[in-house]
Amino acid sequence: MDPLLAWRDEFPILRNTTYMISHSLGAMPSRTAGSLREFAETWATRGIRAWEEGWWQMPITVGNLIGRIIGAGAGEVVMHQNVSVCQTIVTSCFDWSGPRNVLVTDGLNFPSNDYIYYGLRRQGAEIVSVPSPDGITLPTELMLAAITDRTQLVSVSHVAFRSSFVQDLAVITERAHSVGALVVADLYQSAGTVPVNVRELGVDFAVGGSVKWLCGGPGAGYLYVRRDLWPRLQPAATGWSAHRTPFAFAAGPIDFADDAYRFLNGTPAIPALYSARGGYQIINEIGVDRIRAKSLRQTQRLIDLADEAGFRVNTPRPAEERGGVVTVDVPDGPQAARELERREILVDYRPRAGIRIAPHFYTTDEELDRTMEELRAITGDSALTSAGGD
Ligand SMILES: Cc1ncc(COP(=O)(O)O)c(C=O)c1O
């Protein structure tokens, strides 16, 4: 008996739905409803006093729950709304007009990150995007070769959103540091399903969000910054929460807080932080190592079932290169995903990849079997590989 299945009762949607989409929106824990009630109750009864009774500290206290998942120390993670905001803050710490103006990014990165990076060209940045040769993987040597003494920042998606390919953050970080560049890692698709330790890896910044493996729902993203860098970083994307004495409401240029508050901006999104806590607590209670062990077993089972069905697998096969998702290419993927949904099995489809299927700690083996059986039935038993569409 799989001990992690004891958690199923905590997730209402699992009663009626085969939930294979935790890479996109993790299932809601029932305790989250209680947290949101607590938010409303606190606001209703404590009013303005709620700020000094905990709300003002929440970007840090909730960040501490993330810190334990990603290997950061207490007070080293601040909460924001999403990754796009965090990336904007990170990139605003640099001067892009000098000779060291190159930002190297991996070709499997999430598009939102790219949009922010390319926007920096207005400030003089040169963007080098390292293409993936097959759309699935990105050999580390290609990333290493792109990093030079003109590189200021290297952006790496730890686990690629489309193919679930795991990148070697340690080696890339070592190379970046050897030429005086810093590294920002996007942990969105790893934290909560693939073990990650930002301190051991030595990454300078890490960003991510709560919507997926962390089961924290929308509206809560996180930013980690290596502590010894704090004194030299002054984000241009800032706000009054980042001030040393915010309630002095001083005009003129900001005097940054010494601690991680310096990476905040305006009023924190308090309801989202209440909503996110429950998922983080559960991931901490279980431990990511146990989630990873189960995920590797179940993703392998999915790959075996896909092979049996004759579907092309667009996810790396070696366990150490594979995150929590298995992407299978089937004929008319969007239609197949819709039909699965009609049969109460939730997955999604990504162009140039296929149907993404993600077991999480609450998934049963029977659910994997059922998903692949239904997919076979929908596409016809004789389904062979297709081009995947766009
Ligand atoms: C790797 C990765 N980064 C970022 C995002 C999303 O960014 P944001 O939090 O800005 O919506 C996603 C998915 O939505 C993702 O998979």
Side-chain angles (χ1 to χ4, degrees):
M1 175 66 184
D2 172 359
L4 298 193
L5 294 181
W7 286 97
R8 283 178 72 80
D9 290 343
E10 173 85 21
F11 294 88
I13 199 168
L14 303 181
R15 279 175 221 142
N16 303 313
T17 305
T18 300
Y19 204 78
M20 307 301 291
I21 194 158
S22 303
H23 58 283
S24 184
L25 180 63
M28 190 197 86
S30 48
R31 63 177 77 173
T32 301
S35 270
L36 286 169
R37 266 196 305 277
E38 188 189 327
F39 162 70
E41 193 62 20
T42 304
W43 183 13
T45 58
R46 301 305 298 157
I48 189 82
R49 291 168 294 191
W51 285 113
E52 59 188 33
E53 290 170 1
W55 282 7
W56 189 257
Q57 290 75 32
M58 276 183 89
I60 302 284
T61 53
V62 174
N64 285 341
L65 293 173
I66 292 285
R68 284 166 50 201
I69 297 171
I70 66 170
E76 294 182 347
V77 174
V78 288
M79 298 305 299
H80 279 284
Q81 184 188 345
N82 56 40
V83 163
S84 308
V85 167
C86 297
Q87 292 277 4
T88 304
I89 293 167
V90 169
T91 53
S92 82
C93 292
F94 300 93
D95 175 2
W96 297 101
S97 65
R100 195 184 263 275
N101 67 337
V102 175
L103 190 157
V104 173
T105 177
D106 76 69
L108 299 172
N109 223 324
F110 193 74
S112 196
N113 297 342
D114 269 2
Y115 304 155
I116 291 158
Y117 303 153
Y118 281 94
L120 296 169
R121 290 193 298 190
R122 262 178 250 168
Q123 297 173 38
E126 187 185 318
I127 311 304
V128 174
S129 178
V130 183
S132 155
D134 57 3
I136 299 174
T137 60
L138 183 42
T140 307
E141 312 80 75
L142 298 183
M143 281 299 284
L144 300 186
I147 300 169
T148 71
D149 58 5
R150 287 193 51 235
T151 308
Q152 176 144 245
L153 186 63
V154 179
S155 169
V156 191
S157 194
H158 188 199
V159 173
F161 78 101
R162 216 188 288 270
S163 64
S164 213
F165 172 63
V166 181
Q167 305 216 60
D168 194 337
L169 271 178
V171 172
I172 295 170
T173 302
E174 203 182 303
R175 164 79 182 147
H177 286 176
S178 76
V179 298
L182 299 182
V183 172
V184 54
D186 184 336
L187 306 182
Y188 217 141
Q189 290 291 353
S190 58
T193 186
V194 174
V196 50
N197 187 308
V198 288
R199 281 177 161 184
E200 280 170 15
L201 291 164
V203 296
D204 306 289
F205 305 91
V207 299
S210 309
V211 180
K212 307 166 193 298
W213 307 102
L214 298 176
C215 300
Y222 57 88
L223 168 62
Y224 158 83
V225 185
R226 218 181 81 200
R227 193 181 274 267
D228 59 295
L229 294 173
W230 294 357
R232 43 184 262 231
L233 297 175
Q234 307 209 332
T238 187
W240 68 287
S241 301
H243 196 281
R244 179 185 300 283
T245 51
F247 296 98
F249 300 104
I254 187 164
D255 179 12
F256 283 102
D258 289 328
D259 54 18
Y261 277 84
R262 74 196 281 121
F263 301 109
L264 288 178
N265 47 24
T267 310
I270 300 296
L273 300 182
Y274 272 90
S275 150
R277 274 187 327 198
Y280 304 167
Q281 287 159 352
I282 291 171
I283 300 292
N284 273 306
E285 279 171 51
I286 301 173
V288 179
D289 286 340
R290 291 169 75 206
I291 297 175
R292 174 66 167 165
K294 173 167 178 172
S295 165
L296 283 175
R297 183 180 68 73
Q298 289 198 319
T299 48
Q300 185 58 54
R301 185 178 177 119
L302 278 172
I303 290 172
D304 294 344
L305 291 168
D307 284 344
E308 260 171 47
F311 298 141
R312 183 167 68 202
V313 174
N314 281 339
T315 295
R317 286 167 186 266
E320 66 282 3
E321 286 183 16
R322 186 170 81 235
V325 182
V326 174
T327 306
V328 293
D329 198 2
V330 301
D332 200 359
Q335 207 281 331
R338 272 194 301 277
E339 182 53 30
L340 282 176
E341 181 179 345
R342 217 184 51 76
R343 299 178 189 200
E344 212 51 42
I345 299 174
L346 300 186
V347 297
D348 65 10
Y349 170 82
R350 284 291 174 272
R352 298 182 299 283
I355 292 194
R356 298 191 301 175
I357 308 172
H360 206 4
F361 58 87
Y362 37 62
T363 306
T364 64
D365 287 355
E366 292 69 36
E367 287 175 312
L368 306 182
D369 299 350
R370 171 156 185 257
T371 303
M372 292 307 283
E373 267 162 36
E374 295 289 351
L375 199 51
R376 273 177 93 144
I378 290 164
T379 56
D381 254 347
S382 62
L384 292 173
T385 315
S386 82
D390 204 354

